[in-house]
Amino acid sequence: MRKQDENVNVKALDDGYGDTKYDKNGTPEHIPSFVTSFKPKPKDDFSSDSKLKYIAVEIDGERYVVGDYAMKLDPDIRWNAADHKHSTANFDILLKTSLGLMSSGHGEVIDLLMMNLPLKFDTPERRFDLMRAAGGPHEVGISFDGINFVKKNINVEDVDIKKQGFGSLCDIMLDDVGEISDRELAKGFNVIVDIGSRTLNILTVDALEEQQALSTQDNQGMFKSYLQIGRFLEDELGTTIPDGKLPGIIRAREIRGRDISQVIDRAYEIHANNIVSTLNTVLLDSWAFVNNVIFTGGGAEVLAPHLAGKIDRANVLTLGRYSNVRGLRKYGLRSARRNIKRNVR
């Protein structure tokens, strides 16, 4: 990495409805986007081989559990599907938690924080609200045992917001310091299909210029399948399942010892077909121009077997849940190198 890059602190945050992804150094991580009131870490940790990550935070004198254990410990955990999630208390908790997890010490200044908004939410008002919420000073206590909290102070100097999916294009177009490494891709007619938890964002760019008439957003995120599966299980079991419990149940592919793989796969196949149908509608008269269709997001990982072979009119690439946030950071490094001046030692 170049000397000038070492003097610029760029981080990225992709605050999804299902997972909050963050990248501090090119190796992204995530926490499920769930928050509950503070509960101590169970002594048995559920099992010796548990992969759950316990994270408790203290903000303004109040303590919470976030992520894996919030889903596990709260019997009535609920999914936040609000349009204006950036004005909710949970968003501020998840934001500060992510900033704290990205901070290596007790205090840190972030020169540039990269974020994104779904296409329809990318308005001047929403940008202003998000920049106001994410920028400036943040104080949070982080604990991995529920007992010892490490206080962290983070100051975000600047926030840059891109459209959902743009980071995924950057991830495969830019190298680790933000230089263009694939010029053919950069010059191409690319359709980025970002399958999130709540939203499906289709961002079409020609030589990196957005084609607004061929870009759209709807609510075909993965929770559409999750809720469909949940309704089936509730009918079968005669019980109510809190929607926040569905990701864990579906990941395990069983409930009460019953294998539900067939139910899940059937829902995923329908979901994949609907997404491809939407894509065909959007690109009805434009397929001849398309070079690449890029499926990305956590939903792309899950639906990959069901999307395979359904598009034969363009080159198809399938990325994963971390591609967007990793690419946002790469773009941020490129932007910071041009706009933030540092004395090179």
Side-chain angles (χ1 to χ4, degrees):
M1 185 174 289
R2 301 176 180 181
K3 278 189 175 182
Q4 192 165 346
D5 296 334
E6 295 173 358
N7 294 300
V8 176
N9 189 3
V10 176
K11 301 191 187 314
L13 181 65
D14 180 2
D15 57 302
Y17 281 91
D19 292 325
T20 297
K21 283 79 63 177
Y22 54 93
D23 188 351
K24 64 178 180 179
N25 58 8
T27 305
E29 298 181 65
H30 82 279
I31 52 175
S33 298
F34 291 95
V35 177
T36 191
S37 57
F38 178 78
K39 296 171 179 63
K41 182 179 181 180
K43 292 181 179 179
D44 62 359
D45 207 17
F46 298 112
S47 70
S48 58
D49 61 348
S50 174
K51 295 181 180 179
L52 298 179
K53 182 187 295 184
Y54 180 93
I55 302 172
V57 297
E58 184 172 16
I59 299 169
D60 296 331
E62 296 291 332
R63 291 184 174 183
Y64 310 89
V65 174
V66 301
D68 290 323
Y69 271 76
M71 297 169 62
K72 190 74 175 180
L73 295 173
D74 189 337
D76 194 36
I77 194 75
R78 296 292 172 175
W79 175 52
N80 178 16
D83 274 353
H84 292 276
K85 66 174 180 177
H86 294 129
S87 61
T88 65
N90 278 9
F91 169 73
D92 187 60
I93 295 168
L94 289 164
L95 168 68
K96 286 178 167 55
T97 300
S98 301
L99 293 174
L101 292 172
M102 286 193 284
S103 175
S104 56
H106 292 284
E108 185 165 348
V109 174
I110 298 174
D111 296 304
L112 177 62
L113 179 66
M114 296 297 306
M115 300 187 72
N116 52 204
L117 280 167
L119 271 64
K120 287 184 179 178
F121 300 161
D122 186 26
T123 64
E125 294 78 16
R126 291 297 292 270
R127 281 175 166 260
F128 176 80
D129 289 343
L130 181 54
M131 292 177 73
R132 182 173 57 181
H138 300 271
E139 184 176 301
V140 60
I142 300 285
S143 175
F144 300 108
D145 60 9
I147 301 171
N148 302 293
F149 286 78
V150 177
K151 185 177 178 180
K152 302 197 177 193
N153 291 282
I154 305 103
N155 190 58
V156 179
E157 293 283 338
D158 193 17
V159 181
D160 191 5
I161 301 167
K162 297 299 177 184
K163 293 181 185 293
Q164 189 76 31
F166 176 75
S168 292
L169 179 61
C170 291
D171 188 32
I172 54 177
M173 181 181 71
L174 304 179
D175 64 19
D176 289 341
V177 294
E179 296 291 347
I180 295 178
S181 58
D182 191 333
R183 296 194 175 276
E184 286 303 310
L185 185 66
K187 292 188 295 184
F189 196 107
N190 299 302
V191 183
I192 304 101
V193 185
D194 191 315
I195 309 171
S197 292
R198 174 185 155 171
T199 60
L200 170 72
N201 286 269
I202 299 175
L203 175 64
T204 300
V205 295
D206 182 12
L208 302 183
E209 189 170 316
E210 182 186 357
Q211 306 299 297
Q212 291 189 354
L214 301 177
S215 299
T216 189
Q217 172 200 329
D218 63 24
N219 290 323
Q220 290 188 82
M222 290 307 298
F223 256 90
K224 186 166 187 178
S225 287
Y226 293 176
L227 294 173
Q228 178 185 341
I229 294 166
R231 286 190 292 269
F232 173 84
L233 294 177
E234 288 183 344
D235 289 343
E236 286 286 299
L237 301 174
T239 187
T240 299
I241 301 174
D243 52 30
K245 294 288 187 181
L246 290 173
I249 293 170
I250 292 168
R251 194 180 306 116
R253 287 185 164 252
E254 67 173 21
I255 183 171
R256 296 182 180 176
R258 174 182 174 179
D259 187 323
I260 56 172
S261 293
Q262 287 188 341
V263 177
I264 294 170
D265 288 337
R266 183 166 63 248
Y268 284 176
E269 183 67 19
I270 293 170
H271 197 161
N273 287 336
N274 289 340
I275 289 174
V276 172
S277 177
T278 299
L279 193 57
N280 281 324
T281 300
V282 171
L283 299 173
L284 181 63
D285 298 317
S286 303
W287 274 112
F289 304 105
V290 178
N291 298 118
N292 303 289
V293 173
I294 303 166
F295 288 108
T296 187
E301 283 187 6
V302 172
L303 293 180
H306 304 277
L307 290 167
K310 285 184 166 59
I311 295 175
D312 58 5
R313 305 177 72 177
N315 182 46
V316 177
L317 303 171
T318 302
L319 309 179
R321 67 159 43 147
Y322 293 127
S323 185
N324 194 55
V325 72
R326 186 169 50 230
L328 284 174
R329 183 175 177 274
K330 290 180 180 181
Y331 178 87
L333 288 170
R334 179 182 181 85
S335 175
R337 190 166 55 248
R338 294 180 174 184
N339 300 310
I340 300 176
K341 305 302 180 184
R342 288 284 188 271
N343 293 323
V344 180
R345 298 176 181 176

